[in-house]
PDB file of all heavy atoms in Angstrom:
ATOM      1  N   ALA V   1    -132.456-135.515 -47.170  1.00  0.00           N
ATOM      2  CA  ALA V   1    -132.312-134.139 -46.695  1.00  0.00           C
ATOM      3  C   ALA V   1    -131.015-133.534 -47.226  1.00  0.00           C
ATOM      4  O   ALA V   1    -129.969-134.189 -47.228  1.00  0.00           O
ATOM      5  CB  ALA V   1    -132.317-134.104 -45.171  1.00  0.00           C
ATOM      6  N   ALA V   2    -131.097-132.299 -47.656  1.00  0.00           N
ATOM      7  CA  ALA V   2    -129.909-131.570 -48.099  1.00  0.00           C
ATOM      8  C   ALA V   2    -128.984-131.373 -46.895  1.00  0.00           C
ATOM      9  O   ALA V   2    -129.462-131.292 -45.756  1.00  0.00           O
ATOM     10  CB  ALA V   2    -130.309-130.224 -48.680  1.00  0.00           C
ATOM     11  N   PRO V   3    -127.682-131.299 -47.124  1.00  0.00           N
ATOM     12  CA  PRO V   3    -126.751-131.120 -46.004  1.00  0.00           C
ATOM     13  C   PRO V   3    -127.105-129.933 -45.103  1.00  0.00           C
ATOM     14  O   PRO V   3    -127.031-130.035 -43.878  1.00  0.00           O
ATOM     15  CB  PRO V   3    -125.397-130.908 -46.691  1.00  0.00           C
ATOM     16  CG  PRO V   3    -125.533-131.623 -47.999  1.00  0.00           C
ATOM     17  CD  PRO V   3    -126.972-131.439 -48.396  1.00  0.00           C
ATOM     18  N   ARG V   4    -127.525-128.835 -45.685  1.00  0.00           N
ATOM     19  CA  ARG V   4    -127.879-127.653 -44.888  1.00  0.00           C
ATOM     20  C   ARG V   4    -129.106-127.931 -44.010  1.00  0.00           C
ATOM     21  O   ARG V   4    -129.170-127.503 -42.859  1.00  0.00           O
ATOM     22  CB  ARG V   4    -128.144-126.476 -45.828  1.00  0.00           C
ATOM     23  CG  ARG V   4    -128.408-125.201 -45.114  1.00  0.00           C
ATOM     24  CD  ARG V   4    -128.525-124.060 -46.088  1.00  0.00           C
ATOM     25  NE  ARG V   4    -128.882-122.856 -45.375  1.00  0.00           N
ATOM     26  CZ  ARG V   4    -128.791-121.665 -45.868  1.00  0.00           C
ATOM     27  NH1 ARG V   4    -128.354-121.497 -47.101  1.00  0.00           N
ATOM     28  NH2 ARG V   4    -129.141-120.625 -45.164  1.00  0.00           N
ATOM     29  N   THR V   5    -130.085-128.646 -44.540  1.00  0.00           N
ATOM     30  CA  THR V   5    -131.285-128.999 -43.777  1.00  0.00           C
ATOM     31  C   THR V   5    -130.925-129.955 -42.652  1.00  0.00           C
ATOM     32  O   THR V   5    -131.390-129.807 -41.518  1.00  0.00           O
ATOM     33  CB  THR V   5    -132.339-129.629 -44.705  1.00  0.00           C
ATOM     34  OG1 THR V   5    -132.648-128.692 -45.744  1.00  0.00           O
ATOM     35  CG2 THR V   5    -133.603-130.008 -43.955  1.00  0.00           C
ATOM     36  N   LEU V   6    -130.085-130.927 -42.935  1.00  0.00           N
ATOM     37  CA  LEU V   6    -129.640-131.889 -41.925  1.00  0.00           C
ATOM     38  C   LEU V   6    -128.870-131.172 -40.812  1.00  0.00           C
ATOM     39  O   LEU V   6    -129.087-131.435 -39.626  1.00  0.00           O
ATOM     40  CB  LEU V   6    -128.780-132.961 -42.594  1.00  0.00           C
ATOM     41  CG  LEU V   6    -128.503-134.224 -41.822  1.00  0.00           C
ATOM     42  CD1 LEU V   6    -129.788-134.906 -41.376  1.00  0.00           C
ATOM     43  CD2 LEU V   6    -127.681-135.170 -42.666  1.00  0.00           C
ATOM     44  N   GLU V   7    -128.022-130.234 -41.180  1.00  0.00           N
ATOM     45  CA  GLU V   7    -127.240-129.479 -40.195  1.00  0.00           C
ATOM     46  C   GLU V   7    -128.176-128.660 -39.302  1.00  0.00           C
ATOM     47  O   GLU V   7    -127.994-128.592 -38.089  1.00  0.00           O
ATOM     48  CB  GLU V   7    -126.241-128.571 -40.921  1.00  0.00           C
ATOM     49  CG  GLU V   7    -125.256-127.872 -39.998  1.00  0.00           C
ATOM     50  CD  GLU V   7    -125.735-126.499 -39.531  1.00  0.00           C
ATOM     51  OE1 GLU V   7    -126.508-125.854 -40.266  1.00  0.00           O
ATOM     52  OE2 GLU V   7    -125.348-126.083 -38.437  1.00  0.00           O
ATOM     53  N   ARG V   8    -129.196-128.062 -39.879  1.00  0.00           N
ATOM     54  CA  ARG V   8    -130.166-127.277 -39.106  1.00  0.00           C
ATOM     55  C   ARG V   8    -130.908-128.174 -38.114  1.00  0.00           C
ATOM     56  O   ARG V   8    -131.109-127.800 -36.955  1.00  0.00           O
ATOM     57  CB  ARG V   8    -131.139-126.577 -40.044  1.00  0.00           C
ATOM     58  CG  ARG V   8    -132.120-125.663 -39.341  1.00  0.00           C
ATOM     59  CD  ARG V   8    -133.007-124.965 -40.373  1.00  0.00           C
ATOM     60  NE  ARG V   8    -133.999-124.137 -39.760  1.00  0.00           N
ATOM     61  CZ  ARG V   8    -133.851-122.871 -39.452  1.00  0.00           C
ATOM     62  NH1 ARG V   8    -132.722-122.257 -39.720  1.00  0.00           N
ATOM     63  NH2 ARG V   8    -134.823-122.190 -38.871  1.00  0.00           N
ATOM     64  N   ALA V   9    -131.310-129.356 -38.556  1.00  0.00           N
ATOM     65  CA  ALA V   9    -131.992-130.296 -37.664  1.00  0.00           C
ATOM     66  C   ALA V   9    -131.073-130.701 -36.502  1.00  0.00           C
ATOM     67  O   ALA V   9    -131.529-130.826 -35.359  1.00  0.00           O
ATOM     68  CB  ALA V   9    -132.456-131.527 -38.435  1.00  0.00           C
ATOM     69  N   HIS V  10    -129.791-130.862 -36.773  1.00  0.00           N
ATOM     70  CA  HIS V  10    -128.838-131.188 -35.701  1.00  0.00           C
ATOM     71  C   HIS V  10    -128.681-130.019 -34.727  1.00  0.00           C
ATOM     72  O   HIS V  10    -128.553-130.241 -33.517  1.00  0.00           O
ATOM     73  CB  HIS V  10    -127.485-131.598 -36.287  1.00  0.00           C
ATOM     74  CG  HIS V  10    -127.470-133.005 -36.752  1.00  0.00           C
ATOM     75  ND1 HIS V  10    -127.359-134.082 -35.900  1.00  0.00           N
ATOM     76  CD2 HIS V  10    -127.572-133.531 -37.998  1.00  0.00           C
ATOM     77  CE1 HIS V  10    -127.386-135.201 -36.587  1.00  0.00           C
ATOM     78  NE2 HIS V  10    -127.523-134.894 -37.868  1.00  0.00           N
ATOM     79  N   ARG V  11    -128.714-128.805 -35.222  1.00  0.00           N
ATOM     80  CA  ARG V  11    -128.637-127.639 -34.339  1.00  0.00           C
ATOM     81  C   ARG V  11    -129.875-127.565 -33.444  1.00  0.00           C
ATOM     82  O   ARG V  11    -129.775-127.249 -32.257  1.00  0.00           O
ATOM     83  CB  ARG V  11    -128.483-126.354 -35.153  1.00  0.00           C
ATOM     84  CG  ARG V  11    -127.099-126.227 -35.788  1.00  0.00           C
ATOM     85  CD  ARG V  11    -126.932-124.945 -36.584  1.00  0.00           C
ATOM     86  NE  ARG V  11    -127.214-123.759 -35.773  1.00  0.00           N
ATOM     87  CZ  ARG V  11    -127.717-122.640 -36.271  1.00  0.00           C
ATOM     88  NH1 ARG V  11    -128.013-122.519 -37.558  1.00  0.00           N
ATOM     89  NH2 ARG V  11    -127.939-121.607 -35.473  1.00  0.00           N
ATOM     90  N   ILE V  12    -131.040-127.871 -34.006  1.00  0.00           N
ATOM     91  CA  ILE V  12    -132.263-127.902 -33.207  1.00  0.00           C
ATOM     92  C   ILE V  12    -132.162-129.021 -32.167  1.00  0.00           C
ATOM     93  O   ILE V  12    -132.518-128.836 -31.003  1.00  0.00           O
ATOM     94  CB  ILE V  12    -133.512-128.060 -34.098  1.00  0.00           C
ATOM     95  CG1 ILE V  12    -133.676-126.831 -34.985  1.00  0.00           C
ATOM     96  CG2 ILE V  12    -134.765-128.309 -33.250  1.00  0.00           C
ATOM     97  CD1 ILE V  12    -134.716-126.972 -36.088  1.00  0.00           C
ATOM     98  N   ALA V  13    -131.644-130.174 -32.572  1.00  0.00           N
ATOM     99  CA  ALA V  13    -131.464-131.300 -31.639  1.00  0.00           C
ATOM    100  C   ALA V  13    -130.512-130.915 -30.507  1.00  0.00           C
ATOM    101  O   ALA V  13    -130.723-131.319 -29.355  1.00  0.00           O
ATOM    102  CB  ALA V  13    -130.943-132.527 -32.382  1.00  0.00           C
ATOM    103  N   ASP V  14    -129.475-130.124 -30.812  1.00  0.00           N
ATOM    104  CA  ASP V  14    -128.552-129.661 -29.766  1.00  0.00           C
ATOM    105  C   ASP V  14    -129.297-128.862 -28.697  1.00  0.00           C
ATOM    106  O   ASP V  14    -129.097-129.072 -27.497  1.00  0.00           O
ATOM    107  CB  ASP V  14    -127.449-128.777 -30.364  1.00  0.00           C
ATOM    108  CG  ASP V  14    -126.470-129.532 -31.243  1.00  0.00           C
ATOM    109  OD1 ASP V  14    -126.386-130.773 -31.141  1.00  0.00           O
ATOM    110  OD2 ASP V  14    -125.783-128.863 -32.050  1.00  0.00           O
ATOM    111  N   VAL V  15    -130.162-127.939 -29.137  1.00  0.00           N
ATOM    112  CA  VAL V  15    -130.944-127.135 -28.192  1.00  0.00           C
ATOM    113  C   VAL V  15    -131.864-128.045 -27.391  1.00  0.00           C
ATOM    114  O   VAL V  15    -131.968-127.918 -26.163  1.00  0.00           O
ATOM    115  CB  VAL V  15    -131.742-126.033 -28.928  1.00  0.00           C
ATOM    116  CG1 VAL V  15    -132.698-125.320 -27.972  1.00  0.00           C
ATOM    117  CG2 VAL V  15    -130.794-125.032 -29.589  1.00  0.00           C
ATOM    118  N   CYS V  16    -132.516-128.989 -28.068  1.00  0.00           N
ATOM    119  CA  CYS V  16    -133.402-129.928 -27.373  1.00  0.00           C
ATOM    120  C   CYS V  16    -132.651-130.687 -26.287  1.00  0.00           C
ATOM    121  O   CYS V  16    -133.113-130.771 -25.139  1.00  0.00           O
ATOM    122  CB  CYS V  16    -134.004-130.922 -28.366  1.00  0.00           C
ATOM    123  SG  CYS V  16    -135.268-130.232 -29.437  1.00  0.00           S
ATOM    124  N   GLU V  17    -131.495-131.242 -26.644  1.00  0.00           N
ATOM    125  CA  GLU V  17    -130.714-132.033 -25.684  1.00  0.00           C
ATOM    126  C   GLU V  17    -130.312-131.217 -24.468  1.00  0.00           C
ATOM    127  O   GLU V  17    -130.307-131.725 -23.347  1.00  0.00           O
ATOM    128  CB  GLU V  17    -129.479-132.619 -26.369  1.00  0.00           C
ATOM    129  CG  GLU V  17    -129.824-133.743 -27.313  1.00  0.00           C
ATOM    130  CD  GLU V  17    -128.627-134.249 -28.109  1.00  0.00           C
ATOM    131  OE1 GLU V  17    -127.488-133.791 -27.866  1.00  0.00           O
ATOM    132  OE2 GLU V  17    -128.839-135.100 -28.985  1.00  0.00           O
ATOM    133  N   THR V  18    -130.002-129.945 -24.673  1.00  0.00           N
ATOM    134  CA  THR V  18    -129.638-129.070 -23.559  1.00  0.00           C
ATOM    135  C   THR V  18    -130.762-129.002 -22.529  1.00  0.00           C
ATOM    136  O   THR V  18    -130.512-128.858 -21.335  1.00  0.00           O
ATOM    137  CB  THR V  18    -129.325-127.644 -24.084  1.00  0.00           C
ATOM    138  OG1 THR V  18    -128.223-127.725 -24.976  1.00  0.00           O
ATOM    139  CG2 THR V  18    -129.005-126.690 -22.962  1.00  0.00           C
ATOM    140  N   HIS V  19    -131.995-129.131 -22.990  1.00  0.00           N
ATOM    141  CA  HIS V  19    -133.158-129.018 -22.109  1.00  0.00           C
ATOM    142  C   HIS V  19    -133.816-130.363 -21.803  1.00  0.00           C
ATOM    143  O   HIS V  19    -134.913-130.398 -21.227  1.00  0.00           O
ATOM    144  CB  HIS V  19    -134.180-128.065 -22.738  1.00  0.00           C
ATOM    145  CG  HIS V  19    -133.667-126.669 -22.843  1.00  0.00           C
ATOM    146  ND1 HIS V  19    -133.625-125.809 -21.777  1.00  0.00           N
ATOM    147  CD2 HIS V  19    -133.136-125.991 -23.899  1.00  0.00           C
ATOM    148  CE1 HIS V  19    -133.099-124.654 -22.160  1.00  0.00           C
ATOM    149  NE2 HIS V  19    -132.802-124.742 -23.447  1.00  0.00           N
ATOM    150  N   GLY V  20    -133.188-131.455 -22.217  1.00  0.00           N
ATOM    151  CA  GLY V  20    -133.719-132.783 -21.896  1.00  0.00           C
ATOM    152  C   GLY V  20    -134.951-133.186 -22.685  1.00  0.00           C
ATOM    153  O   GLY V  20    -135.753-133.977 -22.197  1.00  0.00           O
ATOM    154  N   VAL V  21    -135.112-132.636 -23.885  1.00  0.00           N
ATOM    155  CA  VAL V  21    -136.217-133.036 -24.753  1.00  0.00           C
ATOM    156  C   VAL V  21    -135.645-133.539 -26.081  1.00  0.00           C
ATOM    157  O   VAL V  21    -134.457-133.413 -26.338  1.00  0.00           O
ATOM    158  CB  VAL V  21    -137.233-131.886 -24.988  1.00  0.00           C
ATOM    159  CG1 VAL V  21    -137.859-131.447 -23.679  1.00  0.00           C
ATOM    160  CG2 VAL V  21    -136.600-130.716 -25.685  1.00  0.00           C
ATOM    161  N   THR V  22    -136.509-134.109 -26.908  1.00  0.00           N
ATOM    162  CA  THR V  22    -136.057-134.663 -28.185  1.00  0.00           C
ATOM    163  C   THR V  22    -136.728-133.955 -29.356  1.00  0.00           C
ATOM    164  O   THR V  22    -137.746-133.282 -29.185  1.00  0.00           O
ATOM    165  CB  THR V  22    -136.388-136.168 -28.274  1.00  0.00           C
ATOM    166  OG1 THR V  22    -137.808-136.322 -28.304  1.00  0.00           O
ATOM    167  CG2 THR V  22    -135.769-136.961 -27.124  1.00  0.00           C
ATOM    168  N   LEU V  23    -136.166-134.139 -30.532  1.00  0.00           N
ATOM    169  CA  LEU V  23    -136.772-133.582 -31.744  1.00  0.00           C
ATOM    170  C   LEU V  23    -138.209-134.048 -31.931  1.00  0.00           C
ATOM    171  O   LEU V  23    -139.075-133.214 -32.224  1.00  0.00           O
ATOM    172  CB  LEU V  23    -135.952-133.968 -32.979  1.00  0.00           C
ATOM    173  CG  LEU V  23    -134.791-133.070 -33.350  1.00  0.00           C
ATOM    174  CD1 LEU V  23    -134.047-133.657 -34.554  1.00  0.00           C
ATOM    175  CD2 LEU V  23    -135.236-131.670 -33.660  1.00  0.00           C
ATOM    176  N   PRO V  24    -138.522-135.346 -31.783  1.00  0.00           N
ATOM    177  CA  PRO V  24    -139.921-135.756 -31.951  1.00  0.00           C
ATOM    178  C   PRO V  24    -140.856-135.076 -30.943  1.00  0.00           C
ATOM    179  O   PRO V  24    -141.974-134.686 -31.297  1.00  0.00           O
ATOM    180  CB  PRO V  24    -139.900-137.271 -31.750  1.00  0.00           C
ATOM    181  CG  PRO V  24    -138.504-137.676 -32.060  1.00  0.00           C
ATOM    182  CD  PRO V  24    -137.646-136.522 -31.627  1.00  0.00           C
ATOM    183  N   GLU V  25    -140.408-134.925 -29.705  1.00  0.00           N
ATOM    184  CA  GLU V  25    -141.238-134.242 -28.713  1.00  0.00           C
ATOM    185  C   GLU V  25    -141.491-132.793 -29.135  1.00  0.00           C
ATOM    186  O   GLU V  25    -142.615-132.295 -29.049  1.00  0.00           O
ATOM    187  CB  GLU V  25    -140.558-134.285 -27.343  1.00  0.00           C
ATOM    188  CG  GLU V  25    -140.499-135.665 -26.752  1.00  0.00           C
ATOM    189  CD  GLU V  25    -139.588-135.791 -25.552  1.00  0.00           C
ATOM    190  OE1 GLU V  25    -138.778-134.871 -25.279  1.00  0.00           O
ATOM    191  OE2 GLU V  25    -139.676-136.835 -24.867  1.00  0.00           O
ATOM    192  N   LEU V  26    -140.456-132.139 -29.600  1.00  0.00           N
ATOM    193  CA  LEU V  26    -140.573-130.756 -30.049  1.00  0.00           C
ATOM    194  C   LEU V  26    -141.477-130.655 -31.283  1.00  0.00           C
ATOM    195  O   LEU V  26    -142.333-129.773 -31.366  1.00  0.00           O
ATOM    196  CB  LEU V  26    -139.189-130.194 -30.362  1.00  0.00           C
ATOM    197  CG  LEU V  26    -139.114-128.702 -30.606  1.00  0.00           C
ATOM    198  CD1 LEU V  26    -139.203-127.949 -29.282  1.00  0.00           C
ATOM    199  CD2 LEU V  26    -137.835-128.351 -31.325  1.00  0.00           C
ATOM    200  N   ALA V  27    -141.283-131.589 -32.222  1.00  0.00           N
ATOM    201  CA  ALA V  27    -142.083-131.574 -33.456  1.00  0.00           C
ATOM    202  C   ALA V  27    -143.568-131.767 -33.157  1.00  0.00           C
ATOM    203  O   ALA V  27    -144.416-131.185 -33.832  1.00  0.00           O
ATOM    204  CB  ALA V  27    -141.589-132.654 -34.416  1.00  0.00           C
ATOM    205  N   MET V  28    -143.881-132.561 -32.142  1.00  0.00           N
ATOM    206  CA  MET V  28    -145.283-132.757 -31.767  1.00  0.00           C
ATOM    207  C   MET V  28    -145.846-131.534 -31.057  1.00  0.00           C
ATOM    208  O   MET V  28    -147.002-131.160 -31.264  1.00  0.00           O
ATOM    209  CB  MET V  28    -145.427-133.984 -30.874  1.00  0.00           C
ATOM    210  CG  MET V  28    -145.247-135.273 -31.613  1.00  0.00           C
ATOM    211  SD  MET V  28    -145.522-136.643 -30.470  1.00  0.00           S
ATOM    212  CE  MET V  28    -145.368-138.014 -31.585  1.00  0.00           C
ATOM    213  N   ALA V  29    -145.048-130.895 -30.233  1.00  0.00           N
ATOM    214  CA  ALA V  29    -145.526-129.759 -29.442  1.00  0.00           C
ATOM    215  C   ALA V  29    -145.649-128.486 -30.271  1.00  0.00           C
ATOM    216  O   ALA V  29    -146.544-127.672 -30.024  1.00  0.00           O
ATOM    217  CB  ALA V  29    -144.584-129.517 -28.262  1.00  0.00           C
ATOM    218  N   PHE V  30    -144.765-128.289 -31.234  1.00  0.00           N
ATOM    219  CA  PHE V  30    -144.709-127.023 -31.961  1.00  0.00           C
ATOM    220  C   PHE V  30    -146.027-126.627 -32.629  1.00  0.00           C
ATOM    221  O   PHE V  30    -146.517-125.520 -32.393  1.00  0.00           O
ATOM    222  CB  PHE V  30    -143.567-127.033 -32.972  1.00  0.00           C
ATOM    223  CG  PHE V  30    -143.466-125.764 -33.756  1.00  0.00           C
ATOM    224  CD1 PHE V  30    -143.021-124.600 -33.159  1.00  0.00           C
ATOM    225  CD2 PHE V  30    -143.849-125.717 -35.085  1.00  0.00           C
ATOM    226  CE1 PHE V  30    -142.946-123.412 -33.867  1.00  0.00           C
ATOM    227  CE2 PHE V  30    -143.772-124.543 -35.815  1.00  0.00           C
ATOM    228  CZ  PHE V  30    -143.328-123.379 -35.201  1.00  0.00           C
ATOM    229  N   PRO V  31    -146.635-127.470 -33.458  1.00  0.00           N
ATOM    230  CA  PRO V  31    -147.867-127.010 -34.119  1.00  0.00           C
ATOM    231  C   PRO V  31    -149.008-126.754 -33.140  1.00  0.00           C
ATOM    232  O   PRO V  31    -149.871-125.908 -33.395  1.00  0.00           O
ATOM    233  CB  PRO V  31    -148.213-128.133 -35.093  1.00  0.00           C
ATOM    234  CG  PRO V  31    -147.448-129.313 -34.634  1.00  0.00           C
ATOM    235  CD  PRO V  31    -146.259-128.804 -33.887  1.00  0.00           C
ATOM    236  N   LEU V  32    -148.999-127.448 -32.016  1.00  0.00           N
ATOM    237  CA  LEU V  32    -150.081-127.286 -31.039  1.00  0.00           C
ATOM    238  C   LEU V  32    -150.017-125.941 -30.318  1.00  0.00           C
ATOM    239  O   LEU V  32    -150.962-125.568 -29.626  1.00  0.00           O
ATOM    240  CB  LEU V  32    -150.050-128.440 -30.036  1.00  0.00           C
ATOM    241  CG  LEU V  32    -150.377-129.805 -30.647  1.00  0.00           C
ATOM    242  CD1 LEU V  32    -150.080-130.920 -29.654  1.00  0.00           C
ATOM    243  CD2 LEU V  32    -151.817-129.861 -31.129  1.00  0.00           C
ATOM    244  N   ARG V  33    -148.957-125.198 -30.524  1.00  0.00           N
ATOM    245  CA  ARG V  33    -148.828-123.867 -29.923  1.00  0.00           C
ATOM    246  C   ARG V  33    -149.664-122.831 -30.675  1.00  0.00           C
ATOM    247  O   ARG V  33    -149.935-121.763 -30.150  1.00  0.00           O
ATOM    248  CB  ARG V  33    -147.359-123.457 -29.879  1.00  0.00           C
ATOM    249  CG  ARG V  33    -146.522-124.431 -29.043  1.00  0.00           C
ATOM    250  CD  ARG V  33    -145.070-124.033 -28.996  1.00  0.00           C
ATOM    251  NE  ARG V  33    -144.869-122.826 -28.229  1.00  0.00           N
ATOM    252  CZ  ARG V  33    -144.911-122.730 -26.901  1.00  0.00           C
ATOM    253  NH1 ARG V  33    -145.172-123.788 -26.173  1.00  0.00           N
ATOM    254  NH2 ARG V  33    -144.714-121.572 -26.290  1.00  0.00           N
ATOM    255  N   HIS V  34    -150.055-123.154 -31.890  1.00  0.00           N
ATOM    256  CA  HIS V  34    -150.860-122.212 -32.672  1.00  0.00           C
ATOM    257  C   HIS V  34    -152.328-122.391 -32.293  1.00  0.00           C
ATOM    258  O   HIS V  34    -152.829-123.517 -32.221  1.00  0.00           O
ATOM    259  CB  HIS V  34    -150.665-122.446 -34.167  1.00  0.00           C
ATOM    260  CG  HIS V  34    -151.214-121.338 -34.994  1.00  0.00           C
ATOM    261  ND1 HIS V  34    -152.565-121.178 -35.211  1.00  0.00           N
ATOM    262  CD2 HIS V  34    -150.597-120.312 -35.616  1.00  0.00           C
ATOM    263  CE1 HIS V  34    -152.756-120.111 -35.942  1.00  0.00           C
ATOM    264  NE2 HIS V  34    -151.578-119.558 -36.213  1.00  0.00           N
TER     265      HIS V  34
END
C-alpha cells in the first residue's frame, strides 16, 4: 500500500475504534448497504 493509502486506512480505523468496531467489520458491512 502507498503511504497515502495506508494513512487513509488508519484514519478509517480511528473512526471505527471510536465506535467499537473494526476495519474488517466495516469492510464486510459496507458493500451490503447497496
Side-chain angles (χ1 to χ4, degrees):
R4 184 174 176 165
T5 302
L6 195 56
E7 187 269 332
R8 184 177 177 90
H10 280 282
R11 288 181 56 211
I12 295 169
D14 291 341
V15 172
C16 287
E17 287 174 5
T18 299
H19 295 282
V21 299
T22 66
L23 273 177
E25 292 168 347
L26 190 76
M28 288 183 176
F30 180 72
L32 294 170
R33 300 180 69 75
H34 193 284

